[in-house]
Amino acid sequence: MSTSDPFDGTLAGGRRPALVLIDLMRAYFTEGSPLLLPSRDCLDSAARVLAAARRHGVPVVHTRVAYGPDGADGGLFLRKVPALRMLLDGGGPLGELMPEVAPADGEQVVVKQYPSAFFATPLASSLRARGVDTVVLAGVSTSGCVRASTLDALQHGFVPLVVREAVGDRTPETQEANLFDIQAKCGEVVGEAAALRYLAEER
């Protein structure tokens, strides 16, 4: 019987990456919000990764969460996470993307209602239309939308690279446990420095 680690496989980034910034909205960085994260460090890292992607001509996609006025499009997810009701009718200021990572002209913004950036959105088809083979992922939260998007990226045939410093969660324990499982089962967790080098590669 083999004693090798059953979760020791690795995935290498391909030749056509895109950066996907997940839900970096004011709701996660505004005092008094029930979704407030304990640190802005992931936002700062995501802004550096975004700047590198733009500098090297890598396509960028932003996602945000928004619901209709009655929340019917949120289904059971809104019942399970009632704090998301703050994003009904677009969410007002809390539903806006942070200025540090605000979309530039021509960058796609995907509006979603569930954790995965791929579920019931045009993300997969738009990435394929650009010939993308790898998604570099940053954003929040690691245990929710980042993890769900990483798994769906894999299932759609895109290599997922999650930037460790550019994702955040509500506790260090939650963050580390989910990064551990992402690395074991559905993606590659890479440091910011490695992500910046990858985005700068000649293509």
Side-chain angles (χ1 to χ4, degrees), residues 63-143:
T63 79
R64 56 185 290 267
V65 178
Y67 300 101
D70 63 359
D73 50 351
L76 295 176
F77 190 41
L78 271 179
R79 286 171 55 187
K80 182 63 180 175
V81 188
L84 292 173
R85 296 190 68 81
M86 74 172 73
L87 301 174
L88 292 177
D89 205 14
L94 290 178
E96 296 173 359
L97 294 171
M98 292 294 286
E100 293 90 337
V101 292
D105 289 345
E107 291 178 351
Q108 183 180 9
V109 179
V110 171
V111 179
K112 64 189 185 69
Q113 287 76 42
Y114 290 87
S116 172
F118 291 89
F119 181 76
T121 78
L123 180 57
S125 57
S126 65
L127 292 175
R128 288 197 185 97
R130 292 172 167 174
V132 168
D133 57 20
T134 302
V135 288
V136 178
L137 295 155
V140 296
S141 65
T142 309
S143 61

Side-chain angles (χ1 to χ4, degrees), residues 144-157:
C145 298
V146 172
R147 183 170 177 163
S149 299
T150 302
L151 178 58
D152 268 3
L154 182 80
Q155 293 176 151
H156 280 284

